[in-house]
Amino acid sequence: MTRIIADISVSLDGFVTGPDPGPDNGLGTGGDALHTWAFSDDPDDRRIVREATDRSGAVVLGRHLFDVVDGPNGWDDTVGYGAGEVGKPPFVVVTSSPPTSVRLTDLDWTFVTTGLPDAVAAARERAEAASASSGKDLDVVLMGGGATVGSALEAGLVDVLSLHLAPVVLGAGTPLFTDGKPRTLVQRTVTPTSTATHLTYEIH
């Protein structure tokens, strides 16, 4: 069964970027510390990256994040979704209008202009097709940015919330939770490493 998994790094004070994020400063001031775990040599950190990549049948991201990763200082062969791991899933971008050009032409991009629910539905179709062809269960991963993940949570589109809690207090930035809506989370896994605490919750 294909699940919708929101997977994002967050500071101890609840921010998914530092202050002043932008195309040339994607994670904001001090925000790079949120993703230290993803480049760590800690065996558990590496396992979590590998498992997340392996389960990804499709990945959803917002337009602001796309502009960062596809920008001149964005992803390359060493930095990107699952960089160094096997497989590159298709990516579905929520946007008001498709970009005029794409730098990362070696990746499979779909641009959805009719809203987040339709983007998630398109990603689910891709993930289910990949599951059928591979013979293993694959999921849709919502990788960000924070507004996209927050909107998906608010809309009830998320089955599993995977948080990578970084040992940093940013003081300001992009908050993960903004709607003030109470939620019931069921904690499933906790994995502490030298760089983060990895938490998995089911959402009901």
Side-chain angles (χ1 to χ4, degrees):
M1 179 179 175
T2 297
R3 302 171 299 170
I4 310 300
I5 300 177
D7 190 309
I8 197 163
S9 298
V10 63
S11 68
L12 291 174
D13 50 348
F15 295 105
V16 297
T17 75
D20 303 318
D24 296 323
N25 190 29
L27 289 172
T29 303
D32 287 347
L34 295 172
H35 287 210
T36 298
W37 71 271
F39 304 97
S40 163
D41 292 328
D42 185 294
D44 282 327
D45 287 329
R46 299 314 310 157
R47 174 181 58 79
I48 286 166
V49 170
R50 182 173 62 254
E51 290 175 351
T53 304
D54 287 346
R55 74 168 183 250
S56 300
V59 176
V60 176
L61 63 158
R63 179 57 186 271
H64 290 304
L65 182 55
F66 168 79
D67 287 341
V68 171
V69 303
D70 195 56
N73 299 316
W75 288 353
D76 56 29
D77 290 339
T78 61
V79 178
Y81 192 89
E85 302 296 334
V86 176
K88 294 180 179 179
F91 294 88
V92 178
V93 181
V94 189
T95 181
S96 59
S97 61
T100 56
S101 64
V102 175
R103 179 178 64 87
L104 298 169
T105 55
D106 60 323
L107 299 179
D108 180 351
W109 298 102
T110 298
F111 298 93
V112 175
T113 60
T114 52
L116 181 57
D118 286 347
V120 171
R124 186 190 291 274
E125 289 182 5
R126 301 295 298 272
E128 288 175 346
S131 296
S133 63
S134 67
K136 63 180 182 179
D137 290 334
L138 297 173
D139 298 316
V140 172
V141 177
L142 303 177
M143 67 168 287
T148 298
V149 170
S151 295
L153 289 167
E154 183 177 355
L157 298 173
V158 178
D159 301 312
V160 176
L161 177 60
S162 177
L163 294 180
H164 310 285
L165 186 63
V168 60
V169 175
L170 294 174
T174 305
L176 178 57
F177 300 106
T178 60
D179 62 355
K181 180 180 178 181
R183 295 177 177 85
T184 300
L185 306 180
V186 179
Q187 185 168 284
R188 290 305 186 196
T189 65
V190 180
T191 305
T193 71
S194 59
T195 58
T197 301
H198 305 281
L199 304 155
T200 303
Y201 302 96
E202 289 183 6
I203 298 178
H204 297 279

